[in-house]
Each structure stands twice: as C-alpha cells, then as structure tokens.
Amino acid sequence: MNIYDLIYVAWKRERQTKILQPLEDDFYRKIKPYINHLENQKNNETDSIMVRLFDKRSHRVSYILNDLISIRMEKHFSDVMNGVLSPTELPSEERQYRTHIEQQQKILRNSALGLEDQIEIDEELEEGYRLMEFTSNESNPFIGSDLMTYGPIVKGDFVLLTNDNSRNFMLKSKANEVEINQD
C-alpha cells in the first residue's frame, strides 16, 4: 500500500465510525516524507501541467490529513471526557496529546471543585475494584479499564468498578463510593 492509500484508508475508516480507530505508532512519521516529496516535486517541476497536478495532489493530501487529525482529536477529547480508554495502537504524537488532555481535565476539575487537597491524582492506581452507587444516569455503555462493558446505568444502581473508573465517576460527581464494613 502506498502512502497516499495509507492516509486515505485511515481517513475513510475514521469517518465511518464514532469509535477511535487504532493507528500504527509511526503513522505520522511515515507520511512526512511523502508530504515533503509532493512539495519538492511541485516546487522543482518545470512543466506547468505537472506543477498543477502536484499542487492538486498536495492540496488533496493536506485536506484529508487535516480532516483525519481533526476527527481524531475530537474523538480523543470526547473519549477522555467520557472515561473511554484509548486504543492500544496509537501514534506517539496522539498518545502525548491524549495524556495532555487527561492531565488538563484533572487539573481543571479538581481546581473547579476545590479538590486539590482532598483527592490526589495517582498516575497509576492500584489494581482493584470499588463498589459505587450512581447519583445520575449513565445512558451510554462504556468499556472499563478492565476491558469489561458497563452500562447503561440508572441513578441508584450499585456497580463494582475498577479503581481508576471509580475515581473518574467520583470526579465527575456521578457516583459515590459505598463503604463495605467487614465486621
């Protein structure tokens, strides 16, 4: 598959679903030389017809790539807001972007709710589960960090969730932890 096809197929796949699609770690590094090649061909070509062809191809690739990146950025943001895990295969640039969004969301939420001192955000929570009582509806099913599907959830439901998913719902004020006395 040539580079144009690689970009085009990724773009078509991304437009056809609401779920963020996996992409290879080096996806963007693979396409940079191709974009540079199109620009060089356009700038170094002497035949005006060929210049227009390279220019058209360059604009088309630029459009597809910009749209692909915009769609993926929106999906990353939406997934972070809804607590959806990212695909395991992501370009390194997108992993960095997603981590930044997650950190900024935590900072804003904690600051706005005055939780800076009350809830410490651990980058790696211990493995385990918490019993949660939901204080609002969660109409869309979601995949937890344990890769299990949860939901839809109705206000008042009790759900056993992983520690990190529990934390996310507590930060969004959508659930409270239920203490279990082992007396």
Side-chain angles (χ1 to χ4, degrees):
M1 179 181 302
N2 66 36
I3 300 298
Y4 178 81
D5 291 339
L6 182 72
I7 298 167
Y8 184 76
V9 166
W11 176 66
K12 289 291 277 186
R13 252 190 6 216
E14 213 59 60
R15 291 190 65 73
Q16 292 173 346
T17 180
K18 293 184 180 195
I19 299 169
L20 187 65
Q21 298 299 299
L23 273 182
E24 298 171 7
D25 179 62
D26 60 348
F27 178 79
Y28 295 113
R29 285 188 300 273
K30 281 182 182 177
I31 61 176
K32 283 179 188 176
Y34 177 67
I35 293 168
N36 291 336
H37 168 74
L38 288 176
E39 285 298 316
N40 287 336
Q41 289 292 93
K42 181 178 74 171
N43 294 335
N44 295 328
E45 186 60 52
T46 56
D47 183 0
S48 63
I49 293 174
M50 292 302 291
V51 168
R52 287 197 322 236
L53 285 174
F54 282 120
D55 189 47
K56 240 188 193 338
R57 174 58 73 120
S58 178
H59 279 87
R60 180 69 179 153
V61 168
S62 179
Y63 171 81
I64 291 172
L65 190 55
N66 279 312
D67 195 44
L68 173 65
I69 291 169
S70 294
I71 292 167
R72 292 184 65 81
M73 286 172 62
E74 287 176 21
K75 288 180 180 181
H76 277 296
F77 186 79
S78 178
D79 285 355
V80 167
M81 295 308 296
N82 292 315
V84 176
L85 294 176
S86 68
T88 53
E89 279 190 271
L90 280 181
S92 56
E93 296 87 350
E94 288 186 18
R95 275 196 309 277
Q96 187 176 10
Y97 171 72
R98 188 172 181 115
T99 300
H100 182 72
I101 293 172
E102 290 167 344
Q103 291 170 345
Q104 293 303 309
Q105 177 205 27
K106 290 173 190 174
I107 290 168
L108 175 62
R109 187 172 308 282
N110 287 344
S111 176
L113 296 175
L115 300 174
E116 298 94 349
D117 299 327
Q118 296 174 18
I119 298 177
E120 184 173 312
I121 302 296
D122 296 327
E123 287 305 315
E124 293 183 35
L125 286 173
E126 71 281 356
E127 303 249 344
Y129 291 83
R130 295 179 187 168
L131 182 61
M132 305 300 294
E133 180 180 13
F134 275 75
T135 57
S136 64
N137 294 336
E138 190 64 32
S139 57
N140 294 325
F142 63 94
I143 297 175
S145 61
D146 57 358
L147 302 180
M148 300 294 293
T149 302
Y150 296 90
I153 297 170
V154 179
K155 179 180 177 179
D157 281 354
F158 292 90
V159 180
L160 195 59
L161 291 175
T162 61
N163 286 331
D164 52 346
N165 290 120
S166 298
R167 182 200 65 215
N168 290 339
F169 282 109
M170 284 191 296
L171 289 172
K172 294 177 185 178
S173 299
K174 291 186 170 195
N176 295 317
E177 183 174 9
V178 176
E179 296 292 328
I180 301 173
N181 294 328
Q182 296 181 347
D183 296 334

